C-alpha cells in the first residue's frame, strides 16, 4: 500500500495496517408453513462506490460532533439501506452502480454487529425481508444500496452478488436477504 497524505502530513500506511472488507450474502426462500424452500450463500463483490460510501460514513461518524467547527456541512450516512434482488445476468464488477435487472427492494429490517478477535473479523450484518411477490420471481442477483429509496437503482450500490442456479420465489413464499461485511483478519 502506498503513502497517503492528509492535510499535507504524510501517513505511513503499510499493507500490515490494511483492513480487508469481505462481503457475504445469503438468500432464504420461506414457504408459508415456515419451512425453507431454497437457500443460497456466497461471497460478493464490494463495489468501488460502496468502499467510498463506507469510508465517507466512517469519517462522518468520527467528526459529526465537530463538523460545524471543521467546516463540513454535508453529513454522509449509509441510511436508508435497501436490499435488492434481481433477475439479470452477468458478472458483478467493482465498477457496478446497479443490479443488472432489479426485481424488487426492501428497507433494512434488522441489523447487528459482532466484535473482532485477533483471528476473527468483526462483522456487520443487515436483514431485508421481502413479502410474497405479486408475480413469481426468478432471482439471480442481489445487492445493498446505501442512501437509497424505494425506486429501483436509487442509492449507492455497496455490494453485488450473482449466483447460479437461479432461486425461484413463487407468489406464496417470502424471501430474506442477509448481507454481512467482515472487517479485519
Amino acid at each position: 500500500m502506498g503513502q497517503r497524505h492528509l492535510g499535507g502530513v504524510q501517513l505511513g500506511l503499510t499493507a500490515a495496517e490494511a483492513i480487508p472488507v469481505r462481503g457475504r450474502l445469503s438468500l432464504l426462500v420461506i414457504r408459508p408453513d415456515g419451512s425453507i424452500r431454497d437457500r443460497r450463500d456466497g461471497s460478493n463483490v464490494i463495489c468501488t462506490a460502496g468502499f467510498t460510501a463506507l469510508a465517507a460514513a466512517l469519517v462522518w461518524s468520527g467528526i459529526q460532533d465537530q463538523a460545524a467547527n471543521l467546516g463540513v456541512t454535508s453529513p454522509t450516512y449509509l441510511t436508508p439501506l435497501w436490499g435488492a434482488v434481481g433477475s439479470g445476468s452477468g458478472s458483478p464488477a467493482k465498477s457496478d452502480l446497479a443490479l443488472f435487472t432489479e426485481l424488487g427492494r426492501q428497507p433494512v429490517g434488522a441489523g447487528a454487529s459482532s466484535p473482532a478477535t485477533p483471528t476473527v473479523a468483526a462483522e456487520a450484518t443487515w436483514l431485508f425481508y421481502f413479502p410474497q411477490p405479486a408475480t413469481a420471481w426468478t432471482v439471480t442477483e442481489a445487492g445493498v444500496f446505501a442512501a437509497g429509496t424505494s425506486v429501483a437503482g436509487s442509492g449507492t450500490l455497496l455490494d453485488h452478488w450473482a449466483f447460479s442456479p437461479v432461486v425461484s420465489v413463487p407468489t406464496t413464499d417470502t424471501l430474506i436477504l442477509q448481507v454481512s461485511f467482515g472487517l479485519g483478519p
Side-chain angles (χ1 to χ4, degrees):
M1 192 169 226
Q3 297 291 314
R4 302 278 193 242
H5 296 271
L6 177 64
V9 177
Q10 186 172 350
L11 303 174
L13 300 177
T14 66
E17 296 168 328
I19 300 174
V21 178
R22 293 168 302 286
R24 187 139 186 92
L25 284 92
S26 298
L27 278 177
L28 280 176
V29 179
I30 303 171
R31 294 182 181 104
D33 67 4
S35 65
I36 296 174
R37 176 182 301 278
D38 201 345
R39 178 187 181 106
R40 299 296 160 83
D41 295 290
S43 297
N44 63 7
V45 172
I46 305 291
C47 300
T48 302
F51 280 122
T52 301
L54 290 168
L58 182 61
V59 167
W60 176 252
S61 71
I63 69 162
Q64 64 184 336
D65 64 327
Q66 295 298 315
N69 296 335
L70 297 171
V72 179
T73 58
S74 298
T76 303
Y77 299 106
L78 294 179
T79 59
L81 279 178
W82 289 81
V85 295
S87 62
S89 62
S91 296
K94 288 184 180 263
S95 59
D96 289 349
L97 300 174
L99 299 185
F100 301 122
T101 307
E102 191 171 318
L103 287 169
R105 59 174 46 207
Q106 289 294 320
V108 66
S113 63
S114 61
T117 71
T119 57
V120 176
E123 194 168 85
T125 301
W126 301 289
L127 291 174
F128 304 89
Y129 173 77
F130 292 78
Q132 298 168 330
T135 60
W137 285 351
T138 300
V139 180
T140 59
E141 61 176 329
V144 172
F145 290 85
T149 68
S150 60
V151 175
S154 68
T156 301
L157 183 61
L158 298 179
D159 61 330
H160 192 183
W161 178 42
F163 49 88
S164 179
V166 302
V167 171
S168 296
V169 185
T171 59
T172 56
D173 293 357
T174 59
L175 183 140
I176 296 175
L177 172 63
Q178 176 179 309
V179 179
S180 299
F181 287 171
L183 306 159

